[in-house]
Amino acid sequence: MSASAESVDTDSGGGEVTRELTDGFHLVIDALKLNGIETIYGVPGIPITDLGRLAQAEGMRVISFRHEQNAGNAAAIAGYLTQKPGICLTVSAPGFLNGLTALANATTNCFPMILISGSSEREIVDLQQGDYEEMDQLAIAKPLCKAAYRVLHANDIGIGVARAIRAACSGRPGGVYLDLPAQLLAQTLDAEAGWMSLVEVVDPAPRQIPAPDAIARAVEVLSSSERPLIILGKGAAYAQADEDIRMLVERSGFPYLPMSMAKGLLPDTHAQSAGPARSLVLRDSDTVLMIGARLNWLLSHGKGRGWGDAPKRFVQIDIEPREMDSNVEIAAPIVGDIGSCVSMLYDAMGDGWSGPSREWIDAVNARKLANLARMAPRLQNNNVPMDFHGALGALRTVVREHPDAILVNEGANTLDFARSIIDMYQPRKRLDVGTWGVMGIGMGFAVAAAIETGKPVLAVEGDSAFGFSGMEIETICRYDLPVCVVVFNNNGIYRGTDVNPTGGPDAATTVFVKDSRYDRMMEAFGGVGVYATTPDELSRATKAAMDSGRPTLINAVIDEKAGTESGRIGNLNPQSVVSRP
């Protein structure tokens, strides 16, 4: 336990007694360390500057960012990778608001995260007396996260941290806000009493065993299917039940389709992978087993466009019962933690499981081979300037040669093409924009991935997406992290070819400065900058960066005409049909 000071008291006999004291700063640190949390991501400032300094002095790793949203994204993905809540520490009001986007995104994506912010004192906030950065942060945070708590007394810090940890990790994970008023941090109390007030959380994410009749119902539905399909979501990857999931998939014999952050749970080159036949299996399957995946917009809500006309039956595994029937009828809901559900479903299938029909497997394999053959020449082109296929084809080979590296990916076209082009071979190696599709996660995710795993990181960024968090390349250089950032530079959002319809001097709304040299930004901070104009140059530079472990940014020049509007989700972008005279 850490102590902050000593106090001299007088005993009953008139002698002096030295009493060791602690304070709120040290109790927050002790509570986190007691629960196995060793890293804090944040931005220092009033009133939490000393909290960061003291945490570092107590042996915690404190990673300081240039913007709170990026620190929050780092904390969120740290939670996803470790199953422990990532900690983001911010100042009050504006800093808190900057971190709030990351907190809401963590909740939407089911990443365990705790946003800890300093705040103004309650008596001033409640009377709206105009304190420095005064804001009722707890009230603002509540609608946007899984739980929100405020601690007013130092001897409640242990309970407050414990509640935040359990809320972030249990059931469906998510974001939690913990409000610490400035005066709380300076409160003192007897060190022994402070230590006794701390709580070590026991089993923060207890198993939730599914009902046996739910398993039996699911087996009955699956056994009667002719054209079954498994969809793996990032919840399946988060569960870290990798071997159980592999055994279930292989026993079933079903084709499987991984959502983007579930890629690598089984290698994308696995015989049952249906990724290259995505359209066929979604359209023609008659029964779909969902494991840690949601029928949200990423799967067209399980109906309509892309799902075909034939009726489908769904079996869904999820820890949240309210997820069932959210878009379509679920014929066999299985509620519980993924590891337990998958293990029990595997056992119930038994060794004599017959699997899908030969006709279905042959149809899926034929479509896979045809699509792969059609795509191969596009991935091997050496066009100058590069198109997305040629550039991603080069990176695809680098990832194959570095299967344990972490791939971070965001953008419009850069994200959409990479999802289908770059194969993954190990679980939790692909990190991207997730459920909200929010841009700006890139550098925060890259920093945390390097910190939490010690593995090299390849961040493949659209030039627009990179702009949201690009200043964090200084953070990457400051901590000398093994991160290679590849910016796909096509001079704008979607494309660099739009023009101002008025003919005026202002650039079009989607166009950036032509031929920007992002590589020189990295050089300015002491990293390696590379300017690449061909797939061969991109391949060589990326391999060198991944092998060296040095902070590197590669400015990959992409044909400004190569992109499409909104990537592959242009249907979500309404188009004006009215022209004015």
Side-chain angles (χ1 to χ4, degrees), residues 119-122 125-126 135-140 142 148-153 156 160 177-181 184:
S119 66
S120 298
E121 307 313 320
R122 290 305 314 154
V125 171
D126 290 345
M135 179 178 287
D136 191 351
Q137 296 168 198
L138 187 76
I140 294 169
K142 278 182 177 180
Y149 305 105
R150 176 183 291 122
V151 183
L152 296 177
H153 305 289
D156 287 331
Y177 175 60
L178 189 60
D179 189 271
L180 303 181
L184 168 79

Side-chain angles (χ1 to χ4, degrees), residues 90-157:
T90 81
V91 302
S92 52
F96 155 77
L97 290 174
N98 286 341
L100 201 55
T101 298
L103 182 69
N105 191 49
T107 303
T108 300
N109 280 285
C110 307
F111 300 153
M113 169 193 170
I114 302 174
L115 175 64
I116 300 177
S117 296
S119 66
S120 298
E121 307 313 320
R122 290 305 314 154
E123 60 272 20
I124 298 177
V125 171
D126 290 345
L127 284 174
Q128 300 177 22
Q129 294 179 317
D131 197 15
Y132 171 72
E133 296 185 346
E134 174 189 305
M135 179 178 287
D136 191 351
Q137 296 168 198
L138 187 76
I140 294 169
K142 278 182 177 180
L144 299 173
C145 59
K146 188 178 175 187
Y149 305 105
R150 176 183 291 122
V151 183
L152 296 177
H153 305 289
N155 57 3
D156 287 331
I157 287 173

